Amino acid sequence: KAGVTQTPRYLIKTRGQQVTLSCSPISGHRSVSWYQQTPGQGLQFLFEYFSETQRNKGNFPGRFSGRQFSNSRSEMNVSTLELGDSALYLCASCRQGSQNEKLFFGSGTQLSVL
Amino acid sequence: LAKTTQPISMDSYEGQEVNITCSHNNIATNDYITWYQQFPSQGPRFIIQGYKTKVTNEVASLFIPADRKSSTLSLPRVSLSDTAVYYCLVGDDNQGGKLIFGQGTELSVKP
């Protein structure tokens, strides 16, 4: 069974640009969530999607958005990039997103904003 | 108040048993305790989950005392490849699709 796949693995952008990251969950998983990891702030929850609907949202500005498609694949978008957006962006999936359910993470997309 | 408290870092040598303790004084009756492992530049990986007493799998053991106010992740005979950050999550920190990570414990295994 294939794991969670994130593309691209690395990305370099400049300030003011926008970026779209992609995540393919494990087959059969309907919940997809996104996380940002930086050395200073650690792992922070961005948002979670279930059946194409955003179900949970973290404390990030509106420049960060996402969506989920009918096949459970998800994308996240960051507009008007800032230097502080440089981070490892991780996607995770699970079947239902129930409490205590195990999450499966991808290897992430390393975004560098210059 | 922080939900969980873990040591920031630990050092060990290959072949030793490593025990990482997590304090969760305000754990609720229905809360489970979950541990994740993260290697550099990779996503976290689920290690083990438990509610009470002892849970063991092929990777680790989890010891939970009767009062459940703490838990100990035990890694038997660690190797260099066990060098990673270990996160303890409790209750609302583990809402399935939404995980709230603390700072974790950075374990360094030396030869």
Side-chain angles (χ1 to χ4, degrees), chain B residues 49-95:
Chain B
Q49 183 180 81
Y51 181 78
K52 62 180 180 180
T53 62
K54 177 184 174 182
V55 179
T56 298
N57 61 23
E58 64 279 2
V59 177
S61 294
L62 180 59
F63 297 92
I64 306 168
D67 66 6
R68 303 197 332 117
K69 292 184 183 300
S70 67
S71 59
T72 300
L73 174 72
S74 181
L75 305 172
R77 297 180 299 282
V78 294
S79 63
L80 297 177
S81 62
D82 292 316
T83 294
V85 178
Y86 293 82
Y87 297 95
C88 167
L89 282 73
V90 173
D92 289 346
D93 295 344
N94 187 7
Q95 292 180 25

Side-chain angles (χ1 to χ4, degrees), chain A residues 47 57-66 77-79:
Chain A
F47 30 66
K57 189 177 189 304
N59 189 27
F60 279 81
R63 299 185 297 107
F64 292 81
S65 63
N77 184 277
V78 187
S79 62

Side-chain angles (χ1 to χ4, degrees), chain A residues 42-53:
Chain A
L43 268 162
Q44 292 188 289
F45 170 77
L46 279 157
F47 30 66
E48 184 225 359
Y49 286 85
F50 181 81
S51 291
E52 302 179 65
T53 301

Side-chain angles (χ1 to χ4, degrees), chain A residues 87-99:
Chain A
L88 179 65
Y89 289 87
L90 293 160
C91 162
S93 76
C94 58
R95 291 194 181 279
Q96 301 290 336
S98 307
Q99 183 128 9

Side-chain angles (χ1 to χ4, degrees), chain A residues 22-89:
Chain A
S22 180
C23 172
S24 293
I26 291 173
S27 177
H29 287 191
R30 296 166 62 192
S31 169
V32 175
S33 48
W34 289 88
Y35 295 79
Q36 180 196 64
Q37 186 169 30
T38 61
Q41 298 296 320
L43 268 162
Q44 292 188 289
F45 170 77
L46 279 157
F47 30 66
E48 184 225 359
Y49 286 85
F50 181 81
S51 291
E52 302 179 65
T53 301
Q54 187 180 88
R55 192 162 62 173
N56 277 301
K57 189 177 189 304
N59 189 27
F60 279 81
R63 299 185 297 107
F64 292 81
S65 63
R67 59 178 176 169
Q68 186 180 33
F69 302 96
S70 58
N71 61 357
S72 293
R73 191 177 71 85
S74 177
E75 290 181 347
M76 70 162 280
N77 184 277
V78 187
S79 62
T80 320
L81 284 167
E82 300 176 0
L83 296 179
D85 296 333
S86 294
L88 179 65
Y89 289 87

